[in-house]
Amino acid sequence: MTGYGKASAEFQGKKIIAEAKSLNSKALDLSTHIAPLYREKEMEVRAMVTQTLERGKVEFNLWIEQLEQVDACPINAELVAAYYRQMQEISSKCGIPEPDDYWHTIMRMPDVLSRNEAQPELSDEEWQVAKGVVQQAIDSLMAFRRQEGEALQRKFEEKLDNIAALLASIEPYEKQRVEKIRQRITDALASIPDVEYDRNRLEQEMIYYIEKLDINEEKQRLANHLEYFRKTMEEGHGQGKKLGFIAQEMGREINTTGSKSNLAEMQNIVVKMKDELEQIKEQVLNVM
């Protein structure tokens, strides 16, 4: 959901600029900073943004830069003279020392600098230009998001392939594990002198114990989740939350596999799968 877009256009001696920034967020959190001339169109600008950007912490700015030289604000000479006379009279009557810098004092007095021109009105022609700039900035941000999304999809595919390969690498150790469990129990019984036991019952208990450690269901479910994640990515935008849920389910199967893997080699593989999945979870927050 992160992105950046900027656009500008010139109109009658000024440059209209729009800028859109987006960060991750579970919902759309929009803040706008709009030049006073376009303030009356703020609701329309917000509607344009919300129609396109579904999620993200979005900051949208629209401002104006003057291209032509602007006349300086006129100084009210008569008012300056009046302030000067009053300050001299008050200083003389009250015995207050005159200021060292009259200009610095007078220029801070009310209405010395004033522009009596009426505030300009927004014309339909200018708003159409500004509206086009707003849309271009939004489109630019969306293009940035799409580019980021394509890179994320390639990253996800890589991580899913890694998890699938690690899952397949567990299989040889499963057979070794069964034999090691059987041998460990047999050796433990043999180490106890003068102990008699029912071999058939022992075989039944061993089968029950080994079945409890069976991870075939977890492997199948994890493989299904990997495939479901891939299919969901192809369904288009708006799947971010769904991908997050699938990643959580993948984590459950990996954790269960780890809890049943009482073999060091298998547990090492599970740790690697968790690492790959954690990278997916971090990046899935960037998905719409």
Side-chain angles (χ1 to χ4, degrees), residues 191-282:
S191 66
I192 304 174
D194 303 325
V195 172
E196 294 183 3
Y197 57 87
D198 186 337
R199 292 187 176 276
N200 291 331
R201 178 61 185 274
L202 173 63
E203 192 67 24
Q204 291 175 3
E205 293 294 337
M206 289 179 65
I207 291 172
Y208 175 74
Y209 178 66
I210 291 170
E211 284 181 347
K212 288 184 66 176
L213 299 178
D214 182 71
I215 60 171
N216 284 322
E217 289 187 10
E218 286 76 11
K219 289 168 56 181
Q220 184 59 52
R221 285 196 292 265
L222 179 55
N224 291 341
H225 292 328
L226 293 173
E227 184 60 26
Y228 191 29
F229 196 101
R230 296 180 196 274
K231 289 181 180 179
T232 303
M233 285 195 296
E234 300 298 333
E235 292 179 3
H237 75 284
Q239 302 299 324
K241 291 182 179 179
K242 189 175 181 180
L243 292 175
F245 295 147
I246 298 172
Q248 288 179 6
E249 294 301 316
M250 289 163 59
R252 288 192 179 94
E253 302 305 331
I254 292 174
N255 288 334
T256 305
T257 300
S259 65
K260 290 185 175 183
S261 300
N262 57 347
L263 190 68
E265 292 83 356
M266 292 177 65
Q267 290 171 342
N268 290 340
I269 294 173
V270 167
V271 170
K272 292 177 182 178
M273 285 196 290
K274 287 182 177 181
D275 181 54
E276 297 291 337
L277 179 61
E278 194 60 31
Q279 294 180 56
I280 291 177
K281 287 182 176 180
E282 289 176 358

Side-chain angles (χ1 to χ4, degrees), residues 154-194:
R154 291 192 296 269
K155 189 70 173 178
F156 287 149
E157 292 285 357
E158 175 190 339
K159 297 303 174 185
L160 294 173
D161 290 342
N162 291 345
I163 293 175
L166 289 167
L167 183 61
S169 70
I170 286 179
E171 186 173 352
Y173 297 109
E174 288 185 82
K175 297 178 181 179
Q176 295 179 22
R177 181 182 61 160
V178 172
E179 294 302 322
K180 286 185 177 181
I181 292 172
R182 186 186 302 275
Q183 188 62 46
R184 186 168 66 245
I185 295 174
T186 304
D187 292 345
L189 289 171
S191 66
I192 304 174
D194 303 325

Side-chain angles (χ1 to χ4, degrees), residues 79-107 109:
L79 191 58
V80 169
Y83 279 135
Y84 179 68
R85 288 194 301 271
Q86 288 183 43
M87 292 175 68
Q88 284 187 319
E89 290 174 2
I90 293 172
S91 176
S92 176
K93 288 181 180 180
C94 300
I96 300 173
E98 296 184 16
D100 296 330
D101 185 354
Y102 268 105
W103 272 111
H104 178 73
T105 304
I106 293 175
M107 293 303 291
M109 302 297 285

